[in-house]
Amino acid sequence: MSFSIPFAHGLGGVRDPVIPVWLFYYAASLTLILSFVALGVLWRRPLLEGRGGGRPLSPRWQRLLLWVGWRIILGALSAGLLVVIWLAALVGEPDAGDNLAPTFVWVVFWLGLVPLVVVFGNLWSVLSPWRAAADAVAWAWNKAGRTWEPAAAYPERLGRWPAAALLLAFATLELAYPRAAEPRTLGLAIVVYSWITWAGMLLYGRRTWIEHGEAFHVYFGLLSLIAPFSVQERDDRRLVVVRPPLAGLTARQEVPGTVAFVAVMLGSVAFDGLSRASWWQNRLYDLEARYIVDSPRTADLVATGFNLLGLMAAVTAVALMFLVAVRAAQAVSGSREGLANVFVASLIPIALAYAVAHYFTLLFNQGQFAIPLASDPFGRGWDLFGTSDFTPSLFNSPDAIWYTQVAVLVAGHVLGLALAHDRAVAIWGSARTAARTQYAMLALMVLYTCTGLWLLSAN
């Protein structure tokens, strides 16, 4: 059975909402302004600050959730699945609709893990196949009586910059390269990323590279700060704690490169919406048309370069606007301390909102195609699990999608405002001073919201 893969992010269609689109811009902006006023009046002391530590679960839950067998079982399954996906990409049917690899990588993994880590915490720490393989090698090495030390000390100044660069490379493959859905492309990408990850672990140590250079661990780790559950180390013990949602975002992000990483998170999704606007597509077509007949490879390179410029511009714009807002808060407060590491976490709920608004239909609709493809991952006509005849039930109500997108975007920015306000009150101890320092942040949130609505409505 052949499946068509609609990898157009943010399925929509021809909308005919009762309310004019332009009115949504005013309503969203007014909602943010009223929320800002309400925060200044009602939120007069920090409610999230200091609560990120949470409360440990009962000993029974600790034993169940931290059982070492979970890491072994889930790690083995994850590593085996990585091999299957890589083989499917390498030797399976080259048509993306008949091959499990594209749907699994771009939908099940990249989009499907997001709601899980936002609800349950950073599950990627036990699901990462690269970490599982490295742990298995380290265990076997120790059992053989060998000792091993990292070849080099990780430069502190690098921080999360390697992870930001790898996330940007992943976004470039997804959003800039025209053949990102082709299985052979994904097969090569898996090899390259695996080599970089294991080389980084070998050079700097497993934990060090995972926390600074493994893009997916940093990505899912930052999103998991929203979650009410977390695994923390206390007195040389690992504990599962429950805490108020968003409380994990109150911790300062002192690691260099965090602003760049979050800018890639947010800017890449913004560019995805931009790249699907008709005027961008028209300019891209004009560039490709000059080469598409005589040299398709050249056309691909031109398209990739043009899209990469747009992606870099979007990421840079997100970072610059945030840094300007932070600098304004610093000037108003008279603080000499850099505040980017204090407020950067307020962008994470917005990054989540952008991702949900753009991709929830893709996850729901295309995610269902993983069910039949799981029975025939290589496209050879198999029916391993008896699901090859499953027929997806697609959700395609353009007006309902649009209303959901608007609600999600506004909610994400309101949460970002609330988080920034809580941080400001905790720092300056006064709701009045906090409000004064957050005027620029309010303007930033309004700008982000209107830009997000424009990008969604332009598709």
Side-chain angles (χ1 to χ4, degrees):
M1 178 181 291
S2 178
F3 303 97
S4 64
I5 305 283
F7 282 120
H9 296 166
L11 181 65
V14 180
R15 294 184 298 268
D16 186 22
V18 177
I19 304 174
V21 173
W22 62 266
L23 196 57
F24 284 94
Y25 291 84
Y26 289 99
S29 300
L30 182 60
T31 299
L32 290 175
I33 293 172
L34 292 177
S35 298
F36 181 82
V37 173
L39 288 170
V41 173
L42 303 175
W43 200 316
R44 308 192 67 81
R45 61 183 180 84
L47 302 179
L48 297 173
E49 178 72 17
R51 303 184 66 184
R55 173 178 56 83
L57 296 180
S58 67
R60 175 180 295 183
W61 280 108
Q62 298 290 347
R63 288 192 298 269
L64 175 62
L65 296 176
L66 296 178
W67 179 50
V68 68
W70 292 125
R71 182 175 294 277
I72 297 172
I73 294 171
L74 295 176
L77 290 174
S78 180
L81 186 56
L82 176 65
V83 173
V84 170
I85 296 302
W86 177 64
L87 290 176
L90 186 68
V91 301
E93 282 295 310
D95 190 315
D98 293 325
N99 195 303
L100 176 61
T103 294
F104 184 86
V105 171
W106 298 122
V107 181
V108 177
F109 161 68
W110 183 233
L111 305 182
L113 270 181
V114 170
L116 293 180
V117 300
V118 168
V119 174
F120 299 109
N122 191 9
L123 298 179
W124 184 245
S125 62
V126 295
L127 292 177
S128 170
W130 296 286
R131 181 173 187 172
D135 287 346
V137 171
W139 177 84
W141 191 261
N142 289 333
K143 284 296 182 181
R146 304 291 186 89
T147 59
W148 174 82
E149 294 292 334
Y154 188 79
E156 186 176 346
R157 66 181 182 278
L158 281 183
R160 289 170 172 159
W161 282 102
L166 287 173
L167 185 66
L168 180 63
F170 184 78
T172 300
L173 175 64
E174 178 193 12
L175 305 175
Y177 186 55
R179 304 184 187 278
E182 293 186 357
R184 304 300 184 260
T185 300
L186 291 176
L188 177 60
I190 290 172
V191 170
V192 172
Y193 189 83
S194 298
W195 183 87
I196 292 174
T197 301
W198 286 323
M201 292 181 183
L202 185 64
L203 182 61
Y204 297 116
R206 284 172 293 158
R207 183 168 182 174
T208 298
W209 183 256
I210 285 171
E211 294 178 351
H212 298 88
E214 210 278 90
F216 302 126
H217 180 88
V218 177
Y219 177 77
F220 293 124
L222 289 176
L223 288 176
S224 72
L225 296 176
I226 299 172
F229 300 101
S230 173
V231 177
Q232 301 177 5
E233 292 189 7
R234 299 180 184 177
D235 300 325
D236 296 326
R237 293 178 56 204
R238 297 174 69 243
L239 294 173
V240 180
V241 302
V242 60
R243 62 194 179 187
L246 300 178
L249 294 171
T250 59
R252 290 173 179 254
Q253 299 296 323
E254 303 282 3
V255 183
T258 301
V259 172
F261 192 93
V262 175
V264 175
M265 290 174 63
L266 188 52
S268 59
V269 183
F271 172 72
D272 189 23
L274 174 66
S275 67
R276 305 193 186 272
S278 57
W279 66 271
W280 183 275
Q281 290 291 321
N282 291 338
R283 283 158 179 77
L284 183 62
Y285 173 79
D286 291 340
L287 290 172
E288 288 183 301
R290 305 173 187 176
Y291 310 98
I292 192 68
V293 175
D294 297 331
S295 180
R297 289 187 178 181
T298 302
D300 286 345
L301 290 175
V302 170
T304 301
F306 182 66
N307 285 328
L308 180 57
L309 287 175
L311 174 61
M312 292 296 298
V315 171
T316 303
V318 167
L320 287 179
M321 287 188 289
F322 170 72
L323 292 175
V324 168
V326 168
R327 183 60 63 89
Q330 187 175 351
V332 170
S333 66
S335 174
R336 296 182 179 181
E337 178 188 7
L339 299 177
N341 60 348
V342 175
F343 291 108
V344 66
S346 64
L347 299 185
I348 294 176
I350 301 171
L352 174 63
Y354 264 59
V356 173
H358 279 262
Y359 302 137
F360 77 94
T361 52
L362 178 65
L363 176 60
F364 180 83
N365 290 340
Q366 188 57 41
Q368 296 181 67
F369 284 91
I371 297 174
L373 287 171
S375 284
D376 187 20
F378 292 78
R380 302 294 170 80
W382 301 342
D383 191 11
L384 299 176
F385 305 110
T387 61
S388 62
D389 292 328
F390 175 83
T391 301
S393 177
L394 304 182
F395 173 59
N396 187 15
S397 174
D399 286 351
I401 292 172
W402 168 247
Y403 292 134
T404 302
Q405 289 173 327
V406 173
V408 168
L409 273 182
V410 173
H413 286 83
V414 169
L415 290 177
L417 269 180
L419 186 62
H421 179 78
D422 189 86
R423 299 295 297 122
V425 174
I427 293 172
W428 290 292
S430 165
R432 181 185 296 272
T433 303
R436 288 176 55 241
T437 63
Q438 294 304 294
Y439 290 146
M441 190 65 70
L442 171 63
L444 177 68
M445 298 298 180
V446 171
L447 180 59
Y448 279 170
T449 302
C450 291
T451 302
L453 292 176
W454 175 75
L455 292 173
L456 289 171
S457 64
N459 291 300

